[in-house]
Amino acid sequence: MQYPQLLFLLLPVYLATGCIRKVDDREQIKKLLVKESATWRNGDGKAHADCWIITPESRILVSLPDGRHFDVPPANMIDEHIKAAGGHAENSNYRITISGNLAVVQHDEVSTDTAGQQSYSHETRILLRTAKGWKLNGQSLHIYKPAGN
C-alpha cells in the first residue's frame, strides 16, 4: 500500500480518536464540577480536596452583588475540615475549552441552601489534567441577583 493511501485510511481514525477524547474529557470535567459542588455543601472535606490541585498560580476570586470582592485562600479548598453548608447546586450552560492539559470552564450555578433560598453565580474554573485525571486549580465566581429579584 502506498503512503498516501495509508494516510487516507488512518486519518479519519486519528481524527475520531481526538474527538472522542475531547468528549470524554468534557464529561469527566462536568462530573468533577458536580462532585466539587456536592462535597463542598455536604462537608466531605476529603472528597472535596480530591477535586483540587493547588499550585502557586492557584487563585479563588469571589465577587458579590454589591461590588465587594475577596480572595479565598486556595488552601481552603483542600482543608479536610470544611463546614457543611448543606443544600445543593445545579450547574448549567457549560462552555468548556480544552488545550492539552489545561481546561477553562465557564458555567452558571444556582445554589439552594437548606432553607430553600437560592443564590446565582457565573463561574469560571481553571482545571489541570493530572495523572489522577482533571483537577481544579483555580476559579472566579461572580454572585449576582437576577433581574426582578
Side-chain angles (χ1 to χ4, degrees):
M1 185 178 282
Q2 294 180 4
Y3 181 74
Q5 291 171 328
L6 181 62
L7 181 62
F8 182 73
L9 290 173
L10 294 179
L11 184 60
V13 172
Y14 173 76
L15 292 175
T17 303
C19 290
I20 290 169
R21 180 174 178 178
K22 287 227 183 216
V23 169
D24 187 46
D25 282 340
R26 290 174 192 277
E27 291 308 312
Q28 288 177 17
I29 288 169
K30 286 180 185 179
K31 286 180 183 176
L32 177 72
L33 296 178
V34 168
K35 175 185 173 184
E36 191 266 350
S37 293
T39 56
W40 180 258
R41 283 163 184 77
N42 70 23
D44 187 344
K46 187 170 174 50
H48 189 265
D50 188 53
C51 297
W52 286 85
I53 181 168
I54 302 302
T55 66
E57 297 78 26
S58 295
R59 188 171 189 190
I60 292 83
L61 182 63
V62 178
S63 66
L64 302 174
D66 64 7
R68 291 180 295 141
H69 64 279
F70 55 93
D71 281 291
V72 175
N76 288 9
M77 299 299 110
I78 57 172
D79 182 351
E80 294 188 8
H81 304 327
I82 61 175
K83 293 182 181 179
H88 66 278
E90 291 190 31
N91 298 338
S92 63
N93 300 323
Y94 287 102
R95 292 169 298 284
I96 301 173
T97 302
I98 300 169
S99 181
N101 293 328
L102 175 70
V104 177
V105 179
Q106 298 173 359
H107 66 87
D108 299 324
E109 182 173 291
V110 178
S111 297
T112 306
D113 67 17
T114 55
Q117 278 296 109
Q118 292 185 320
S119 61
Y120 303 85
S121 60
H122 298 300
E123 305 195 9
T124 300
R125 315 278 202 115
I126 309 297
L127 296 96
L128 300 177
R129 185 194 321 265
T130 71
K132 295 182 178 182
W134 289 100
K135 303 288 183 179
L136 283 154
N137 182 247
Q139 68 182 13
S140 178
L141 70 103
H142 308 279
I143 302 168
Y144 69 96
K145 292 183 181 181
N149 281 0

